[in-house]
Structure formats: structure tokens, C-alpha cells
Amino acid sequence: MAKILGIDLGTTNSAMAVMEGSEPEILVNAEGDRTTPSVEGFRKDGERVVGKAAKNQAVTNPENTVSSVKRFIGRSYDETPEEQKTVSYKVQKGKDGRAVIDIDGKDYTPEEISAMVLQKLKTDAEKQVGQPITQAVITVPAYFNDAQRQATKDAGKIAGMEVKRIINEPTAAALAFGIDQENDQKVMVYDLGGGTFDVSIIEMGDGVQEVLATAGNNHLGGDDFDKKIMDWLVAEFKKEQGIDLSGDKMAMQRIKEAAEKAKIDLSGMTTAQISLPFITADA
């Protein structure tokens, strides 16, 4: 029987799973990770990279590295908040009024960029399950409107998959939690991602999920925690050594990676150590 791929297409990271019998199984990507950065990179030599490889060159090649494109999907340029347009790559108004991404003079729609991530997930999943995958279920934020949901389905189609269902992210979480729960109950689902933070109150009973309320912040997530750590590292180094690292792209790439690792380490420990030898050189 053909597998349907379950996809969490995140603002910052994406994940995928298939059903093995009655149990969902998270699949790892080609790099051996359970999550894939939702990042696309266009290198100077014309090569296109997706996922970790794209994220690793984000600081040194910022204008050609696209991240957080989910914030633009299914939206017109004019209705996109100004603060969301402040990114390293160029976002502009397309011929149809929608937000498009300009890479070296060529326009890409957010759906086309998202499809690159979905295509990688599809390819990596096919290698793991050993068969072609042509269908998918994709989760979206509860606040997504019809246009954003349709645009997500379009991205799946571009990636070569028929999207059988679009499911709200908090609803998917409640389903996973309540799949073996017999009692009727109300649950609060916190969805703290890389770029967004959503809270939903969901009522479950008789196999039915109803979202009673939802709210969120489109500009709060793990990326913001990383940025705070980066800013602190740069400020401390400048205070101690008198050197400002913020203009050094290579140094900032190392600082970005170290900040994220420290944040992850702090999920399981009370302290984390950051060591970056030979971060720069002075006279």
C-alpha cells in the first residue's frame, strides 16, 4: 500500500512522518536529522541547496538564502506586515500583486520556494521507505486563511505530491495526544516554533476535535532566542576585546551556530558553554 507522507512544513524547520501500522514514525532526512531547516540557498555557481547546507551558508551569502518564506505564502505584498519584509533577501511586489522573492533578477513565488523544501522531504522519505510517495498531509498554523491553505497545497503540487488534507498544527497535536484518550476534555496546545508562537484551546470528545480559541505571535520563536544569545556574545566580546564582530560574516556564522547549539543544550541542562577559538584576528 502506498505511503502518505505527513509533513510539518514549519517556518524555520520541517519534519516528516509515515504511518507504520497504527503508529506514526518520524523519518530522518538524508543528513540523519529528524528535522530539516526550511531554508533554500542559491550559490554563486548556480547550485541550489536546501536544508542544512543552505542554513550553513546563510550568514556568508544572506541575499541569496531564503528562510521563513512561510510568512509570505498565500499573501499579497500589500497585506504583508512591513516588519515581516525585513529579511536578508529581496522581497518585492509581483505582477499579480503577491509577494515574490527576487534572486539575481529572477522572481520566485513563496510556493516555489516552499516546494523546494517539500521536494527534499519527499526525496529523503522515498529513500527511507523504499517506494515512491505521491500523496501528503500538511499541517498549517490555525490562523492561516483559505488563500494561505490553498497556496500550501499548490506548493505540494509543485513538489510532485497530491495534498490529501491540510490540518491545523494545534489540531494535529491534539489528535496525537488524544488518539488513545477515552474521556472528553479540553486541552491547551502551545506551539512554540522557530519563528512563531501559537496557543489554541481545543475540545475533544467522541472522536471530534473543535478549536474553541486561538491566538499567537508571528514574531516570537526559537530564532529570536538565538538572536538574543548572538547579540549578547557580540556585546561581551566587544566589551572585553574592543572588537566588533557584527561586521565579520564568517565570525557571525560561527556565532549563529554556537548560539543555536547553546540554546538546544539548555533544553536539558542548566548551563551551556560556548567556545569559539580564533574567532577573529587583530593587528
Side-chain angles (χ1 to χ4, degrees):
M1 182 178 176
K3 298 283 188 186
I4 296 181
L5 189 62
I7 297 174
D8 173 7
L9 181 61
T11 308
T12 309
N13 292 290
S14 296
M16 55 183 174
V18 293
M19 292 297 292
E20 290 293 347
S22 60
E23 295 292 326
E25 178 186 343
I26 293 287
L27 301 180
V28 297
N29 59 22
E31 294 75 36
D33 299 323
R34 289 162 63 92
T35 59
T36 299
S38 303
V39 184
E40 303 74 34
F42 300 81
R43 291 180 173 165
K44 302 296 184 183
D45 58 5
E47 183 186 5
R48 196 171 70 192
V49 290
V50 181
K52 182 183 283 187
K55 182 179 178 180
N56 288 345
Q57 52 109 67
V59 173
T60 55
N61 186 24
E63 65 278 359
N64 294 317
T65 303
V66 184
S67 59
S68 300
V69 74
K70 182 175 174 179
R71 290 174 172 172
F72 303 108
I73 198 165
R75 305 176 81 167
S76 72
Y77 182 83
D78 292 336
E79 74 177 357
T80 304
E82 285 302 318
E83 65 269 17
Q84 291 192 12
K85 299 172 187 174
T86 307
V87 288
S88 60
Y89 49 93
K90 186 177 180 181
V91 181
Q92 58 189 25
K93 192 172 186 176
K95 294 178 180 177
D96 58 358
R98 295 194 303 163
V100 296
I101 292 89
D102 179 353
I103 302 292
D104 287 335
K106 181 178 179 181
D107 287 346
Y108 293 87
T109 66
E111 293 91 322
E112 289 174 320
I113 298 290
S114 294
M116 296 175 193
V117 174
L118 293 172
Q119 180 65 57
K120 174 175 171 51
L121 296 177
K122 177 180 184 293
T123 300
D124 290 354
E126 288 174 337
K127 290 178 181 176
Q128 196 167 342
V129 302
Q131 65 184 63
I133 290 176
T134 59
Q135 298 177 326
V137 172
I138 303 177
T139 59
V140 298
Y143 56 78
F144 260 27
N145 59 30
D146 289 343
Q148 290 170 302
R149 292 166 192 271
Q150 183 57 52
T152 303
K153 294 184 77 170
D154 292 342
K157 185 176 181 180
I158 295 170
M161 294 181 288
E162 176 192 1
V163 180
K164 301 295 288 185
R165 188 71 59 87
I166 294 288
I167 300 178
N168 286 349
E169 289 161 359
T171 303
L175 279 168
F177 167 76
I179 200 163
D180 56 355
Q181 304 284 328
E182 295 181 359
N183 300 327
D184 294 353
Q185 56 190 308
K186 286 189 180 76
V187 296
M188 180 176 283
V189 180
Y190 290 89
D191 179 6
L192 177 59
T196 58
F197 181 35
D198 302 308
V199 179
S200 295
I201 297 175
I202 298 174
E203 187 168 35
M204 302 188 297
D206 297 325
V208 176
Q209 310 272 343
E210 182 181 0
V211 179
L212 302 180
T214 187
N217 186 331
N218 290 352
H219 291 278
L220 178 62
D223 289 350
D224 301 290
F225 304 160
D226 297 345
K227 184 67 166 57
K228 286 291 184 184
I229 298 172
M230 290 173 66
D231 292 344
W232 175 77
L233 287 170
V234 170
E236 286 294 304
F237 192 84
K238 185 175 182 180
K239 186 164 63 178
E240 292 179 9
Q241 305 295 334
I243 299 173
D244 186 359
L245 295 175
S246 60
D248 184 336
K249 287 185 177 181
M250 294 303 294
M252 290 305 294
Q253 181 69 52
R254 291 179 63 192
I255 289 172
K256 180 174 171 40
E257 292 167 0
E260 183 179 18
K261 183 180 184 303
K263 176 195 68 179
I264 293 170
D265 289 346
L266 289 170
S267 296
M269 300 184 294
T270 55
T271 61
Q273 185 174 6
I274 297 174
S275 177
L276 293 170
F278 310 110
I279 191 69
T280 190
D282 60 8

